[in-house]
Amino acid sequence: MPAPTPAPASPDPAVSARLPVFPWDRLEPFKATAAAHPDGIVDLSVGTPVDPVPELVRQALTDAADSPGYPTVWGTPALRDAIVDWCGRRLGARGLTHSHVLPVVGSKELVAWLPTQLGLGAGDRVAYPRLAYPTYEVGARLTGAEPVPYESVVELDPRGLRLLWLNSPSNPTGRVQGKEALREAVAWAREHGVLVFSDECYLELGWEADPVSVLHPEVCGGSYEGIVAVHSLSKRSNLAGYRAAFAVGDSAVLGELLQIRKHGGMMSPAPVQAAAVAALGDDTHVARQRERYAARRAALRGALEANGFRIEHSEASLYLWATRDEPCWDTVRELSERGILVAPGEFYGAAGERFVRIAFTATDERVRDAVRRLTA
């Protein structure tokens, strides 16, 4: 009698069991309620860009469309030049070279897989703000490390702490850390031998504050040792669909990550690299997009405050961090009945359980309709 055919291999469910429920799946019933509104849904939840990709970026992508060969993980020299130039011009970073630069396939990919690529595992700890982008926790759990939310960096227990995430401007709160606070965090991390990654993807979207990078000499002291900044073109250039981001900082850390990512084939498509060069070299489209967001922000803030909301922080980023001092899911439900979908603050940590995050990335027409519904 022939031996039974072995069952095909399948993913170990123990890996997915380490992770929380994907947060956006929990919002689906409220999305259905909002979509049933007679005037349609106003989706202010995820914060995805809706405005056109800048023409010069689309042209660069088109011009590079005939790219039959494999791209490189490290990116083209033109892309590395563009990143170095932009960091000097916009962040005040000095003395950067190509060795300080690593393109990545969107910042979420880096956040999720960084602890694994750093070789972290059981017994290691990863710290991130107590109100934070959920993927910091996911990255720790994927590799078996312990996730550690914090309120104050200097109050952290450094034992076993291998990776410290900073996030300014914050997602979800829009809070901005000043130079002194960032300098203190970097100094503490260096004292205790903890690697710092600073998520600065909303840095170009400051409204009531001027965000600063950890790469600024007044923060890092002119040395990039032990620090890396992460930036994205998704928000500032409407390129979320392109998956174009980059890390800049400690050359030893990024050099090691480059070797690992070469083996994993983690490369941005060649046309996307060309598009990123065009986006980084032009500040005009960024200023124009900021004007759009500023107008939407002002309109929504006024309407929310007229409806009894209190806005906290929100000095920067693409969100308003709002509360009516009630459980966040009650707020989500009530707004969904008006056809407005927002994100519950609980997605970003227990400290957000009485807040909602409201994006102002919808079109002008949808924002006007949200304002009308909130003030009716």
Side-chain angles (χ1 to χ4, degrees):
M1 182 176 180
T5 303
S10 61
D12 186 346
V15 177
S16 62
R18 300 174 194 165
L19 307 179
V21 175
F22 186 62
W24 300 106
D25 289 346
R26 297 171 59 196
L27 202 57
E28 284 300 315
F30 301 95
K31 185 175 183 179
T33 298
H37 190 278
D39 295 324
I41 187 173
V42 179
D43 192 341
L44 307 178
S45 60
V46 176
T48 188
V50 297
D51 297 304
V53 172
E55 176 57 35
L56 83 163
V57 176
R58 283 183 279 166
Q59 188 60 55
L61 185 82
T62 301
D63 291 345
D66 186 14
S67 298
Y70 289 111
T72 64
V73 172
W74 200 19
T76 62
L79 177 56
R80 283 176 259 139
D81 280 342
I83 294 171
V84 167
D85 291 347
W86 180 83
C87 289
R89 184 175 78 248
R90 184 63 185 84
L91 308 182
R94 301 170 184 167
L96 291 174
T97 68
H98 286 196
S99 68
H100 296 100
V101 168
L102 180 65
V104 297
V105 191
S107 58
K108 184 170 185 175
E109 170 263 306
L110 178 69
V111 173
W113 294 109
L114 178 65
T116 298
Q117 292 173 7
L118 290 173
L120 275 56
D124 295 321
R125 301 164 72 231
V126 175
Y128 53 88
R130 71 184 184 116
L131 279 169
Y133 185 45
T135 313
Y136 304 135
E137 177 186 356
V138 167
R141 292 190 181 281
L142 278 171
T143 199
E146 178 188 352
V148 181
Y150 67 83
E151 178 66 33
S152 169
V153 168
V154 298
E155 294 176 1
L156 279 166
D157 181 352
R159 290 175 296 181
L161 189 60
R162 298 283 305 282
L163 174 62
L164 170 65
W165 279 105
L166 304 179
N167 179 212
S168 176
S170 163
N171 174 14
T173 69
R175 186 177 183 180
V176 174
Q177 299 290 329
K179 288 179 183 177
E180 180 58 38
L182 291 173
R183 182 164 55 242
E184 183 179 46
V186 168
W188 182 91
R190 285 173 169 167
E191 177 185 354
H192 296 288
V194 179
L195 177 62
V196 172
F197 265 68
S198 179
D199 180 347
E200 302 174 357
C201 290
Y202 295 92
L203 186 137
E204 297 222 72
L205 295 164
W207 311 112
E208 298 163 5
D210 187 14
V212 66
S213 172
V214 293
L215 303 181
H216 192 284
E218 293 182 24
V219 174
C220 69
S223 167
Y224 303 124
E225 182 181 358
I227 60 171
V228 176
V230 180
H231 285 269
S232 168
L233 301 183
S234 293
K235 311 299 186 183
R236 58 146 356 235
S237 298
N238 299 332
L239 297 188
Y242 283 46
R243 311 314 300 135
F246 52 91
V248 184
D250 190 318
S251 59
V253 172
L254 295 182
E256 180 65 15
L257 288 175
L258 174 61
Q259 297 308 313
I260 293 166
R261 293 170 67 85
K262 283 180 178 179
H263 284 287
M266 293 179 171
M267 58 190 81
S268 296
V272 170
Q273 294 187 29
V277 172
L280 287 166
D282 179 71
D283 295 328
T284 301
H285 77 274
V286 180
R288 186 176 300 119
Q289 190 60 43
R290 279 179 52 86
E291 291 174 0
R292 294 187 186 111
Y293 285 143
R296 294 166 186 165
R297 177 181 184 271
L300 282 170
R301 180 167 193 154
L304 288 163
E305 289 176 335
N307 196 256
F309 282 90
R310 184 177 72 256
I311 309 299
E312 292 194 1
H313 302 303
S314 307
E315 302 100 338
S317 82
L318 289 177
Y319 313 106
L320 293 167
W321 187 238
T323 181
R324 286 193 302 208
D325 295 309
E326 64 186 7
C328 61
W329 288 103
D330 290 353
T331 309
V332 169
R333 181 178 61 254
E334 193 273 331
L335 290 178
S336 72
E337 291 167 355
R338 301 191 195 197
I340 301 171
L341 188 67
V342 300
E346 185 184 89
F347 279 6
Y348 308 95
E353 63 185 5
R354 298 180 75 83
F355 286 80
V356 291
R357 194 196 73 172
I358 301 172
F360 40 89
T361 53
T363 64
D364 292 341
E365 182 274 330
R366 289 285 81 190
V367 167
R368 284 193 296 270
D369 207 53
V371 168
R372 178 184 61 79
R373 299 179 196 185
L374 287 166
T375 56

